[in-house]
Amino acid sequence: MSQQARRSPRRTEALSRERIVEAAVGMLDAAGEGGLTFRALTERLATGPGAIYWHVANKGELLAAATDAVVAAALAAEPEGASPRDRIRALALGLFDAVDAHNWVAAQLSASSWQVTTPRIFEGVGRHVSAMGVPREQWFTVTSVVVQYILGAAAQNAANAQVLGPGADRGEFLAKVSTAWEELDPDDYSFTRTVAQQMREHDDRQQFLDGIDLVLAGITAVHPPAG
C-alpha cells in the first residue's frame, strides 16, 4: 500500500461532516448560496474535493445539511421548565433569530428541507401543541398554523433584510415608506394612512413576538386547557 493510500483514512477522519457543514454555514453567511462552491470549500478547508465528496454527495445535500444544522441549534436552545405556551414562544423566537442571522436559511426551508429540517420543526412545535391540551384530531391543523406563521414571518423578515442590503439604515428606509403611505389617496387608503406612523416605529422582532402571542391566544381560546 502506498504512503498516499495509508494517509487517506486519517485525512477522511480529520475532515468530518460536521466540520464541512460548519465551513459551509460560514460561507453562506458571508456570500449567500452563490458563494458556496465545492472549489471554494476545498480551499477554505485546505483539502481536496474527494475528501469532501466522501461526506457530502453534492451541493444540494450540503445546503440541506447546513440548513438543518442552523435549525437544530436554534431548537436546542429551548428553555426547560416552562409551560407549553412559553416553550412554543421561545422556540419560535429562536427560529426567527436564527433565520435573521442566516438569511439564506429562509429560501432553503421552502426549497429543500422537507425530508429532515421541516419535520424537525414540526415535531418541536407539535409536542408543545399537544401539551397545551389541543384535541388529537386538531394536532396537525393547529401545528401547521403555528409553523406556517413562524416560517412565513421569519422568511419575510429575511427578505426585507436582503432588500435593504448590508449597512442600510433601517430607520431611514421605514421613514421613507411611512411618508409614502401618509401621502396615499385618503379615500382609497384611509386605514393604511392611519397606521403609517406605527409602521415607521415598529420593531420587527417585537412584532413577531406579538404575532406568535396572538396565535397562541387564539389556540387557547378555541381549545382551553382541561381543568
Side-chain angles (χ1 to χ4, degrees), residues 132-156:
M132 287 179 67
V134 174
R136 180 185 292 267
E137 61 271 17
Q138 292 296 314
W139 284 358
F140 176 76
T141 297
V142 173
T143 302
S144 296
V145 169
V146 177
V147 171
Q148 287 166 9
Y149 171 76
I150 294 170
L151 299 187
Q156 184 61 58

Side-chain angles (χ1 to χ4, degrees), residues 12-49:
T12 300
E13 291 170 5
L15 187 65
S16 66
R17 180 181 174 91
E18 290 74 19
R19 186 177 161 209
I20 293 170
V21 170
E22 181 181 2
V25 169
M27 294 174 67
L28 287 162
D29 289 344
E33 184 177 342
L36 179 62
T37 66
F38 272 58
R39 180 176 180 179
L41 189 59
T42 57
E43 293 177 357
R44 185 184 182 105
L45 293 170
T47 187

Side-chain angles (χ1 to χ4, degrees), residues 3 18 73 79 89 104 109 128 162 175 179 190 203 205 209 216-217 222 224-225:
Q3 185 177 6
E18 290 74 19
R89 194 174 190 270
W104 52 271
L109 284 173
H128 303 318
Q162 291 177 344
T179 299
S190 59
D203 177 83
R205 195 170 188 265
L209 282 173
L216 293 172
V222 176

Side-chain angles (χ1 to χ4, degrees), residues 72-136:
L75 296 177
E78 183 184 340
E80 295 293 336
S83 69
R85 181 168 171 165
D86 289 339
R87 285 173 175 266
I88 292 176
R89 194 174 190 270
L91 182 155
L93 184 59
L95 288 171
F96 180 87
D97 287 342
V99 176
D100 186 49
H102 309 278
N103 284 170
W104 52 271
V105 168
Q108 295 306 312
L109 284 173
S110 62
S112 62
S113 64
W114 291 101
Q115 290 186 338
V116 177
T117 308
T118 301
R120 188 191 296 279
I121 296 171
F122 203 82
E123 178 71 18
V125 173
R127 289 186 180 188
H128 303 318
V129 165
S130 65
M132 287 179 67
V134 174
R136 180 185 292 267

Side-chain angles (χ1 to χ4, degrees), residues 52-76:
I52 294 177
Y53 281 116
W54 178 270
H55 297 282
V56 182
N58 50 54
K59 183 176 179 178
E61 182 180 329
L62 182 56
L63 284 168
T67 303
D68 192 57
V70 170
V71 169
L75 296 177

Side-chain angles (χ1 to χ4, degrees), residues 152-174:
Q156 184 61 58
N157 183 66
N160 292 342
Q162 291 177 344
V163 169
L164 285 174
D169 188 323
R170 178 180 178 276
E172 181 180 345
F173 173 79
L174 290 179

